[in-house]
Amino acid sequence: MIAATGLRWILTLLFCALTVYGLWRALAARSHPWTARLAHGLHAVMALAMFAMAWPWGMDLPGTPQVVLFSAAAVWFVPAALAVPGVPGPRARALANALPHTVMTGAMAWMVAAMSSAMSMGAGGGGQAHDMPGMDMPAPGATATMTLDGTGDRWGAGVLAVVLLALALWWLAKGFDTGRLAPRTTSGAGPDGAGPDGAVHAAWDLGCHGLMALGMAVMFAVMT
């Protein structure tokens, strides 16, 4: 989907790093609830899918399984956050922390569905990539190889780009604050954020969520 070589490689390195981090957190955090480990694994899968989507061969991957997976993950984040035992603070806070993940994962499902729909429209009409009814081919030197054609789809991509950018800034700011205050927390073992090590992990998690949202915002922006 990304035509600009420099931007494609920047996003590739970003999403590959996020994939490795998500897998590491999913496998290394054995003392954490299984829901937390699964959440890290889902973020790793989403980063891997975003990496693939930046390359031409990624557009050939089946879209329906991805839409089903990310739609189910978007719904799963809410009850998973409410069901984790021993979470400090009211359930309303857990729900508020889960909703951004639901939005980001749901946006991923929307992106795959929109691109798959546009591709299938072109294939069903017997057209080539350059005359797909659902997509536009930009001029040489453009950032994206193909962009959405429908007004509703382009507005949807634009709105999601703005929302994800806002989430990215929020997560990054929160991550910087958490990391800055981490040395001042009292020692002691516990879940993420309960001690110095947990605070550092929490800061890294927030930063990675912010970078994921930022990378997705760029991908949505080039779709418009």
Side-chain angles (χ1 to χ4, degrees):
M1 190 169 72
I2 305 296
T5 303
L7 179 59
R8 177 188 293 172
W9 277 106
I10 289 173
L11 292 175
T12 294
L13 294 175
L14 172 63
F15 290 128
C16 284
L18 292 174
T19 300
V20 173
Y21 180 81
L23 290 175
W24 172 70
R25 291 287 281 142
L27 297 175
R30 296 184 178 180
S31 61
H32 298 159
W34 68 269
T35 52
R37 299 196 302 272
L38 179 57
H40 287 301
L42 289 172
H43 283 121
V45 171
M46 186 162 59
L48 188 62
M50 293 299 298
F51 148 70
M53 195 173 292
W55 292 85
W57 54 264
M59 304 302 297
D60 296 330
L61 298 178
T64 301
Q66 297 183 67
V67 174
V68 172
L69 172 63
F70 295 126
S71 297
V75 176
W76 173 83
F77 273 110
V78 174
L82 297 177
V84 174
V87 175
R91 293 299 178 184
R93 181 184 303 173
L95 179 61
N97 290 332
L99 286 179
H101 298 284
T102 295
V103 171
M104 185 166 63
T105 314
M108 181 69 193
W110 186 94
M111 177 186 289
V112 176
M115 299 299 290
S116 299
S117 176
M119 298 270 302
S120 64
M121 286 173 61
Q128 301 297 321
H130 63 273
D131 57 1
M132 285 184 181
M135 309 189 78
D136 282 334
M137 284 293 294
T143 303
T145 55
M146 292 179 289
T147 56
L148 295 175
D149 187 22
T151 302
D153 287 343
R154 299 184 75 168
W155 270 99
V159 169
L160 288 173
V162 173
V163 171
L164 288 168
L165 178 59
L167 287 177
L169 295 176
W170 177 72
W171 265 320
L172 290 173
K174 190 175 180 181
F176 283 129
D177 285 343
T178 302
R180 179 172 54 85
L181 298 175
R184 303 179 184 178
T185 57
T186 58
S187 59
D192 285 355
D197 290 341
V200 172
H201 287 156
W204 276 100
D205 289 347
L206 290 166
C208 287
H209 297 333
L211 291 175
M212 173 80 80
L214 181 61
M216 291 183 64
V218 173
M219 296 284 280
F220 274 105
V222 301
M223 290 174 66
T224 60

